[in-house]
Amino acid sequence: MTDFSSLTITSAINGLKNKEFTSQELVQFFIEKIKQNKHLNCFITHTFEQAIDMAKIADKRISAKNHRMLEGIPIGMKDLFCTNGIKTTAGSKILENFIPFYESTVSKNLWDSGAIMLGKTNMDEFAMGSANTTSFFGNVINPLKSFSNQKKDLVPGGSSGGSASAVSSGLCLGATGSDTGGSIRQPASFCGLVGLKPTYGRCSRFGMIAFASSLDQAGPIAQTVEDAALMLQCMTSFDEKDSTSSRNEIPNYLDYKNYRLKGKKIGIPKEYLIEGLNNEIKEVWDNCINWFKSEGAEIVDISLPHTESALPTYYIIAPAEASANLARYDGIRYGFRQKEKDLKDLYQKTRGLGFGKEVKRRLMIGTYVLSAGYYDAYYLKALKVRKLISKDFEEAFKICDLILTPTTPNVAFPIGEKQTDPIEMYLNDVLTVPASLAGLPAISVSSGFNKEKLPIGLQVIGKPFDEISILGAGNAIEKLRGF
Amino acid sequence: MSIDNSTVKKVALLARIEIQKNDEAALIDELNNIIGWVDELKKVNTEDIEPMLSVFNETMNMRKDNPQSNYTNELILKNSPENNAGFFVVPKVVE
């Protein structure tokens, strides 16, 4: 069998068009790779039969020169996106046997563009986690290892850990993710990939299992900026089934190729130089500032004064919204049920046994901050601070075009670490959460390595609906990083 | 304000989550740590600041209220743990 390991989405599209190989050959190759790498636990459900059927259709369309943008390209679908007739679990026992009878808009858009689903990727339960250690279906393993300790398994990041690990280990050419506080960017950074969270409202939330509705956004995880742009193009649409779907015109994202840093103002927020930021990450950040200068960009010192408050704000708002969203899992209409004679007992036992520890912790926090007597002190307060965080960005974008920061304070860590204190796990998202609260588009691009040869990602944050500029800056990083 | 035993019981009831007896003490500690940590926000001056419910600043989309029948009764019941004669089944709630 031909080795397709070095393919990207872009090179696979060319190979398919030039008849160097067929989509069926591609799909067969990735099916074998997935079977050989089961220990990484990237997938919750395999959809190999459907993939082969979809590949046959793709090959016919390619032969007839009737191909669509992602015709014949095998991808992974995060198990947060409802797929018609295919089990969708959100990584939870409570949805262990849930089979949707409708398709999420994002997955539908991808299939309508010719993409092929190899399976549903593993994730933190209901996307609540930063290490992919909260899934009912087990931990996902990062294919990358520390240079000096090849035996220790590292986390892939989370919550889209299955997607990131699968793309990084070459089990699929790209994958979908969802990002509430960093769940696309952080795993992309830990696995040496590109992850893009679009502006809030750019991708439809219809059929995407809800966590925190005012923050949830779908986006691509891919090997290159170009692949991410292609996937993004196919994922976005205006959707009347989502009340917060944007009507803003969708540009041609590949236009990022014409983007030049020359004359652009790049903001460097001093507040992101947090205590605990790894020195090697700081070095890569500094290197990138120099790369951007060499391209003619102007570096501007900016201040986002409420950065420090972003994480606590997020850990009030996201659990509060989750406590409302996850009220639907009652053991009546779908999902797991613990049979009881009394209805209240049924609810409590179903949810007590059906949800994992981290989900229950957040539902308790969310319920508490919304409960009588605490609503004003916590929830309302957090909404006001969110406004201040959003205003910080508005002010900053008056004097700069883009903001450059690290994606994470540290690189991928061993499985089992940061498990005793929840807050220690939450700190993984300290640099990604502010852009989420402000609804801004942000990309993470692999920009260097530490001494242990683990990847370091940098984040570029853009103005609302300016995905082209963050893709353009990401592309510049790819060209200048020297690998 | 710290979370004690009775607060946890009250919140668990509101959230309809049964907490196992031997998980309770650890959960109380974790919740207190988290609440203590988010309490930092009290220091932020939010006088005259409007709460921000959403970053979405376009007009909310309202679809036309036309009757549609996309899903059959059979489909909707397919995922239910228990159903009978076209209905979801729950434990008896009236005497």
Side-chain angles (χ1 to χ4, degrees), chain A residues 97-99 101-102 200 206 214 238 240 242-248 306 309 311-313 315-316 331-335 337 339-344 346-349 351-352 360-361 363-365 367-369 371 374 378-388 390-391 422-423 426 437-439 465, chain B residues 1-3 7-20 23 27 30-64 68 70-72 75-82 88-93:
Chain A
N97 298 309
F98 177 60
I99 300 175
F101 47 85
Y102 49 87
Y200 182 80
F206 176 77
S214 81
F238 166 71
E240 66 170 17
D242 173 0
S243 63
T244 60
S245 173
S246 175
R247 288 176 191 271
N248 269 11
H306 297 91
S309 303
L311 207 55
T313 301
Y315 275 96
I316 292 173
I332 307 295
R333 291 155 301 161
Y334 40 76
R337 164 186 286 193
K339 230 178 159 173
E340 290 293 328
K341 287 207 174 74
D342 174 75
L343 185 63
K344 200 174 80 187
L346 183 152
Y347 288 149
Q348 290 180 338
K349 288 199 172 22
R351 292 163 62 81
K360 283 189 272 194
R361 202 179 282 139
L363 294 181
M364 291 287 288
I365 291 286
T367 306
Y368 179 77
V369 299
S371 65
Y374 301 106
Y378 292 106
Y379 185 62
L380 195 64
K381 181 79 185 181
L383 294 181
K384 288 177 180 174
V385 182
R386 184 178 187 180
K387 182 78 194 173
L388 291 171
S390 182
K391 273 186 165 177
I423 296 169
Y426 299 168
L437 288 167
F465 299 102
Chain B
M1 175 69 203
S2 67
I3 297 178
T7 316
V8 161
K9 284 206 167 70
K10 193 186 120 196
V11 175
L13 178 67
L14 285 172
R16 296 288 185 272
I17 294 173
E18 186 182 77
I19 307 289
Q20 299 293 322
D23 291 340
L27 185 66
E30 287 163 3
L31 296 182
N32 273 317
N33 279 342
I34 297 168
I35 291 297
W37 172 65
V38 299
D39 262 337
E40 283 290 303
L41 287 190
K42 290 190 173 146
K43 292 182 195 156
V44 183
N45 181 2
T46 51
E47 217 182 302
D48 300 327
I49 302 294
E50 284 293 307
M52 185 181 205
L53 276 162
S54 171
V55 296
F56 190 73
N57 52 21
E58 298 170 39
T59 320
M60 283 261 195
N61 300 308
M62 306 275 259
R63 66 171 169 75
K64 290 204 177 74
Q68 296 172 19
N70 295 338
Y71 311 124
T72 60
L75 270 178
I76 288 165
L77 288 171
K78 216 181 62 177
N79 277 293
S80 64
E82 203 182 339
F88 296 112
V89 175
V90 295
K92 196 174 172 186
V93 285

